[in-house]
Structures are given as structure tokens and as C-alpha cells.
Amino acid sequence: MSTIEDRVRALGYAIPQPLRLPPGVVLPFPWVRVVGTRALISGHGPTNADGSLAEPLGKVGSQVTQEQAFVAARLTGLAMLGSLKRELGTLERIASWTRVFGMVNSASGFNRQPAVINGFTELILAVFGEERGAHARSAVGMAELPFDIPVEIEGEVELRPRGA
């Protein structure tokens, strides 16, 4: 039986290293907070395999195309998987994805946020399958996002007990 990480690799993707924060930036919160049988995932942005912020940066609909933002949403999903793996020890503890909130750094008039966040959703469904990967979701436009990232996504997963 293949593992979640096997499926990520089979799709041609890699789980990235932790985000390399810009000098002087301190984040006073965890990337993942486990509460009972839930893991709450703080907002993540797109990262490269080495943990650096992935480009392009800017507003979707002006500096960033919808297609580039779709890829950024997929990279954001991979970053979230990395944080979950580091916190949980294994992605096999994820019983199901429950909720996702996708934010798109949107230029005035850009209204295709759901199409952008589909980059995340398609990744999660491909990796976890419909039963474990299906999730409730919102996709909204924002005037600005941190570090000018095009996409930020937060979420929640239900966990299996350790050793189950």
C-alpha cells in the first residue's frame, strides 16, 4: 500500500523544507497546532523545495497570472504537508481534510479566486483521494498578503490516534 509521501513523489512533487523567514521576521505562533483529534494549520504561502518563498510575487490579475497563482496554490499545499509531517511525524495520521480557507492577493476586478485555490484542492484530492481529501472550502480575494505572496491558505484536518 502506498503512503501519502509515495503519492506526492509519484505525482512528481516534493515536500519542501520549512519556510526560510526573511531576516528579522519572527512568527509567534506554530505552523500546526494539535488540539485533541484536530490539527489546525496556520496560513501558509507558496515555497520552493529549499523553503524559500516561491515566485512570482504580487497581485493575481496584474503581476501574477491566474495560471501562476494556481501553481502557487499547489506549492502552498505542499508547504502545508511539510508542516503537518514535521508536527505529526507522519502524514498517515491524517484521517481527513475538513476545512480550507484560501486567500488570493487580488488585483482590482479579479474574481476567479476559486479557480486559483483549485490548485490546492486538486493536489489534496490527488494525494489523499476523495474520501480523505474532500474538504469544505472558501476562496476569497484580499487587498494584500504578507511578503506580497499571491496565495495564502489555512486549514484543518482530523487526525487518527497515534499508532492507529
Side-chain angles (χ1 to χ4, degrees):
M1 182 162 132
S2 69
T3 67
I4 297 301
E5 289 185 68
D6 290 338
R7 279 177 254 159
V8 169
R9 283 189 294 275
L11 290 167
Y13 306 127
I15 293 175
Q17 295 298 312
L19 175 64
R20 293 189 333 217
L21 293 170
V25 174
V26 176
L27 301 179
F29 56 85
W31 289 111
V32 175
R33 173 136 164 86
V34 175
V35 179
T37 61
R38 300 179 313 158
L40 305 167
I41 309 156
S42 295
H44 282 62
T47 59
N48 295 309
D50 67 358
S52 61
L53 282 177
E55 294 184 351
L57 301 174
K59 293 195 176 299
V60 181
S62 60
Q63 298 106 334
V64 179
T65 68
Q66 181 177 317
E67 294 75 20
Q68 290 170 319
F70 177 94
V71 171
R74 180 188 311 133
L75 291 173
T76 301
L78 292 166
M80 292 168 76
L81 292 179
S83 292
L84 284 162
K85 181 179 187 311
R86 285 184 286 278
E87 179 64 28
L88 302 175
T90 175
L91 296 174
E92 301 311 311
R93 284 205 52 213
I94 298 171
S96 64
W97 283 81
T98 55
R99 184 191 64 80
V100 170
F101 182 63
M103 297 161 273
V104 179
N105 188 357
S106 299
S108 179
F110 182 78
N111 64 2
R112 304 276 299 147
Q113 292 84 4
V116 168
I117 302 302
N118 282 348
F120 170 89
T121 295
E122 289 178 15
L123 169 74
I124 297 304
L125 291 173
V127 170
F128 286 88
E130 190 73 32
E131 181 71 22
R132 288 170 68 188
H135 50 267
R137 189 187 91 176
S138 295
V140 299
M142 298 289 183
E144 303 290 339
L145 287 176
F147 311 114
D148 219 17
I149 57 176
V151 174
E152 181 176 349
I153 302 173
E154 65 178 49
E156 183 177 329
V157 295
E158 183 72 21
L159 300 175
R160 294 181 170 135
R162 286 193 188 276

